[in-house]
Amino acid sequence: MIEKVIIQNYKSINYLNLKLNDEMNILVGNNEQGKSTILEAINLALTSTLNKRNIHNELNPFLFNKNIVEDYIKNIRKGKYDAPPSILIEIYLKENDQTAFLKGTNNSIKENACGIRLSVEFDDDYTEEYEQYINQSNNLKNIPIEYYKVNWYSFASNPITSRSNPVKCVLIDPTEGKHWSGTDRYISSVIGETLDPKQRATLNFNYRDIKEKFSEIDSIAQINCTLSEKTGEISDKELAISLDISQKNGWESNLTAYLDDIPFDFIGKGEQNSVKLKLSLESTSEEAQVILIEEPENHLSYSNMYKLINQISEKCEGKQLIITTHSTYVLNKLGLDKVVLMNNGHHMTLRDLKEETYNYFKKLPGYDTLRLLLADKAILVEGPSDELIVQKAYIQKYNKLPIEDGVDVITVRGLSFKRFLEIADLLKKEVSVVTDNDGDVNKNIIDKYGDYYLNHPTINICYSEDTKYPTLEPQLVSVNELSVLNQIFEKDFKTKEEMIKYMTSSGNKTECAMRIFDSNQEIVIPEYINEAIK
């Protein structure tokens, strides 16, 4: 099993040192956070393949981290001929009888461990050509990948081959569409294991015989006659159409799967993805110790996802499973304690939190946790009234909802802001908190939020210092004309005190906030809310 993965300069990942659980790991984060890249890198280091082809045939400049490439080119243009950048992927394995021969210190942290490392680096044999190329290139735009090589070694400094590698890995992406070969591969493997050599030969013979008889069909013969009359216009040789009977196009590549007499490509996307994933597990899970799955929930309903997740768990029992997901259901079903949260190059697990915070999120449904992760930025509020007013403020200022800018306004019940802020702090997530002062700034703001209160680079605590107006509704009344609020609520209150009493009474809070949100009337927004949406 994989204990740890180190990735350097690969695609969106500048540097990653990620510890993994022995059984289940769920990678969660917004798009472009490197989840798929991690799966791809692990698969690459364990199989030496990328896009189902050997990495030697898939080398290109865009495998390198963009920031590293930009720095390299800037230095070249400044005359600083530093060593060309390299890619490194290291897989640290649990020591056992099968992996003991991989043990050594040939890794980036010089740890005496069992493992495999794959690097894409400059080939010193091309030093002279490279220097000439650099000196002659006036407009270098990318890495000269032609001068690179791939090294695949154990931590004991021995070359690795597919045969010598004791750790088998499979990467399953059910969203790959027609290029995904699991269906054909599975059917072919079933036939190969079921038929004896004589039966296979019979199948080949009859399949080829059917193809050969195709050209004898009357209508096909007439078409070929017409084509032969136009041979001179096309070629000196006689032109005809038929079916390819060469060995490379045998029955293996022409079988089509059917579900209830409907060709596989014509069934629903959800069913397709589910079947593809389960067939891949069926045909590879026996031999693979590490199984990587990309977003198994795609196109699936809740009930079908329930079945699929159960089947994945059962089929992968005793193996190490690494899944990427955006699904709250997958999180809760497979266990929040197995989740790796990712954001802008930072990652954490719930076990990195304080024990009381960890226990809080273990009991909490994962929806709000996932919303915090998937938002570009988040505004945390105390209740639905605050959420509506923040949304109204954002529309007034930017003429659109906050979610259109990737800003999620999340109601955190029970005033558990600090639980969410602990995650935001570890992941460097940009978060604003909109909170009431409840009549005492020192007690309810400064003391309560401690380290998050002053000069935190990504967390902003927004509140009013005016304790005469301790909550949202009095704050709104204090900055708006009474006539404006009366018009919105269709009331005729004579004093602001009456208005505050009405807005804060039980059952009116959310109704008043909804009326303000729905109204075309522009209102004055309290400054602490404006601060949160800046």
Side-chain angles (χ1 to χ4, degrees):
M1 300 300 178
I2 301 173
E3 292 187 331
K4 178 170 59 182
V5 178
I6 290 180
I7 304 172
Q8 294 180 9
N9 303 337
Y10 184 64
K11 292 194 174 180
S12 62
I13 298 175
N14 189 343
Y15 181 82
L16 176 77
N17 186 331
L18 177 64
K19 293 181 179 178
L20 296 172
N21 296 320
D22 286 349
E23 296 179 353
M24 181 81 69
N25 300 270
I26 309 168
L27 306 184
V28 179
N30 206 346
N31 294 329
E32 306 300 322
Q33 297 302 319
K35 304 185 302 298
S36 300
T37 301
I38 292 172
L39 297 192
E40 187 177 278
I42 292 173
N43 186 65
L44 174 56
L46 290 178
T47 67
S48 188
T49 62
L50 181 65
N51 302 323
K52 297 185 174 66
R53 300 179 66 203
N54 190 285
I55 182 59
H56 293 87
N57 301 319
E58 288 290 298
L59 284 184
N60 68 78
F62 301 103
L63 296 179
F64 291 78
N65 179 265
K66 182 180 178 181
N67 295 329
I68 298 298
V69 173
E70 288 176 350
D71 290 343
Y72 162 71
I73 293 173
K74 285 178 185 177
N75 288 337
I76 292 294
R77 290 174 178 172
K78 292 177 182 178
K80 299 178 182 178
Y81 294 171
D82 296 334
S86 60
I87 292 171
L88 176 64
I89 307 169
E90 294 179 338
I91 309 294
Y92 292 73
L93 300 165
K94 182 166 286 188
E95 185 173 355
N96 55 39
D97 292 342
Q98 286 73 40
T99 62
F101 74 98
L102 302 172
K103 190 171 184 177
T105 58
N106 179 33
N107 54 68
S108 59
I109 58 177
K110 301 305 177 187
E111 180 179 322
N112 189 24
C114 300
I116 295 171
R117 59 177 278 150
L118 183 142
S119 64
V120 180
E121 57 189 56
F122 178 72
D123 189 341
D124 291 333
D125 290 344
Y126 291 105
T127 299
E128 185 176 340
E129 292 92 331
Y130 171 73
E131 290 176 352
Q132 290 178 358
Y133 171 79
I134 294 299
N135 290 327
Q136 294 172 3
S137 179
N138 297 321
N139 192 24
L140 184 68
K141 293 184 178 179
N142 226 318
I143 290 175
I145 200 69
E146 297 79 9
Y147 303 135
Y148 274 71
K149 64 180 178 179
V150 177
N151 289 326
W152 199 22
Y153 280 84
S154 72
F155 287 179
S157 300
N158 297 318
I160 292 291
T161 65
S162 298
R163 181 169 295 182
S164 67
N165 181 9
V167 184
K168 304 305 177 186
C169 170
V170 59
L171 172 60
I172 302 172
D173 184 356
T175 65
E176 286 185 4
K178 284 184 176 293
H179 297 294
W180 189 91
S181 60
T183 311
D184 294 337
R185 184 175 64 245
Y186 179 63
I187 293 172
S188 297
S189 69
V190 169
I191 293 174
E193 292 169 1
T194 303
L195 304 183
D196 60 36
K198 188 174 181 179
Q199 290 173 316
R200 288 174 60 90
T202 300
L203 180 56
N204 271 321
F205 173 80
N206 286 289
Y207 182 76
R208 187 170 66 251
D209 186 53
I210 291 171
K211 282 189 167 185
E212 289 171 345
K213 289 179 179 178
F214 174 81
S215 59
E216 298 175 8
I217 299 172
D218 289 343
S219 58
I220 300 301
Q222 291 176 12
I223 291 172
N224 283 335
C225 182
T226 302
L227 289 173
S228 66
E229 292 173 359
K230 295 184 176 293
T231 294
E233 301 174 16
I234 301 172
S235 170
D236 292 335
K237 297 180 173 60
E238 184 174 321
L239 178 66
I241 61 169
S242 186
L243 296 179
D244 187 353
I245 61 172
S246 64
Q247 186 64 35
K248 67 182 179 65
N249 282 320
W251 54 265
E252 294 95 333
S253 59
N254 285 280
L255 288 174
T256 299
Y258 281 73
L259 291 180
D260 286 343
D261 296 327
I262 299 175
F264 185 79
D265 288 342
F266 288 87
I267 64 175
K269 291 291 185 183
E271 184 73 9
Q272 281 190 33
N273 287 352
S274 179
V275 169
K276 289 173 181 179
L277 196 151
K278 286 183 278 190
L279 288 181
S280 264
L281 287 175
E282 196 70 39
S283 59
T284 59
S285 63
E286 288 300 321
E287 60 186 36
Q289 296 96 354
V290 178
I291 299 176
L292 315 170
I293 301 179
E294 179 80 30
E295 297 186 11
E297 72 272 13
N298 269 288
H299 302 290
L300 289 178
S301 67
Y302 233 52
S303 58
N304 285 331
M305 197 191 312
Y306 177 84
K307 296 176 186 176
L308 179 62
I309 295 301
N310 279 342
Q311 288 169 326
I312 289 174
S313 300
E314 292 170 5
K315 182 62 65 174
C316 298
E317 188 174 354
K319 301 177 184 296
Q320 189 172 38
L321 185 63
I322 306 173
I323 294 177
T324 67
T325 187
H326 288 128
S327 168
T328 307
Y329 179 83
V330 173
L331 289 188
N332 291 332
K333 176 66 179 174
L334 296 182
L336 280 170
D337 56 327
K338 302 175 179 105
V339 170
V340 179
L341 311 176
M342 304 184 66
N343 181 67
N344 292 333
H346 304 279
H347 69 275
M348 60 163 285
T349 70
L350 292 185
R351 297 187 184 279
D352 296 322
L353 302 171
K354 295 175 182 175
E355 185 175 358
E356 61 268 24
T357 304
Y358 170 76
N359 290 331
Y360 170 80
F361 281 111
K362 282 281 288 180
K363 297 172 186 175
L364 185 74
Y367 182 61
D368 286 339
T369 316
L370 192 62
R371 284 178 63 185
L372 177 66
L373 287 170
L374 299 185
D376 294 335
K377 301 176 182 180
I379 300 175
L380 305 182
V381 298
E382 294 184 8
S385 302
D386 307 79
E387 180 177 342
L388 288 165
I389 298 304
V390 169
Q391 302 266 12
K392 175 76 171 182
Y394 205 95
I395 291 172
Q396 285 190 178
K397 185 172 180 63
Y398 300 112
N399 200 32
K400 55 185 169 181
L401 289 167
I403 198 65
E404 296 179 60
D405 284 332
V407 180
D408 200 353
V409 184
I410 305 171
T411 297
V412 179
R413 300 190 179 279
L415 301 183
S416 301
F417 290 130
K418 289 182 70 173
R419 311 295 190 199
F420 286 85
L421 294 183
E422 198 173 331
I423 290 179
D425 183 36
L426 289 171
L427 292 177
K428 305 297 183 273
K429 173 74 72 174
E430 290 192 50
V431 173
S432 288
V433 170
V434 174
T435 185
D436 299 330
N437 63 50
D438 290 324
D440 191 333
V441 170
N442 285 324
K443 176 184 176 182
N444 298 316
I445 305 295
I446 298 174
D447 294 344
K448 184 175 182 179
Y449 293 106
D451 296 338
Y452 303 124
Y453 173 67
L454 293 174
N455 302 320
H456 195 286
T458 63
I459 294 173
N460 188 24
I461 309 297
C462 304
Y463 64 98
S464 171
E465 295 192 4
D466 192 343
T467 55
K468 291 186 299 182
Y469 306 103
T471 60
L472 172 66
E473 291 77 17
Q475 286 288 333
L476 287 169
V477 174
S478 72
V479 295
N480 282 280
E481 295 293 334
L482 190 60
S483 59
V484 172
L485 296 177
N486 273 326
Q487 180 182 346
I488 293 173
F489 302 142
E490 299 178 343
K491 299 295 180 182
D492 188 23
F493 293 117
K494 304 301 182 186
T495 66
K496 288 196 171 186
E497 286 73 20
E498 290 179 299
M499 179 62 73
I500 291 173
K501 184 177 180 180
Y502 168 74
M503 291 179 68
T504 56
S505 64
S506 176
N508 284 343
K509 284 190 171 188
T510 304
E511 175 65 24
C512 290
M514 182 65 76
R515 280 180 169 265
I516 291 173
F517 179 81
D518 288 337
S519 173
N520 293 325
Q521 176 74 50
E522 188 163 309
I523 66 166
V524 179
I525 301 297
E527 188 53 36
Y528 71 101
I529 294 178
N530 282 326
E531 181 187 349
I533 66 173
K534 283 180 183 177

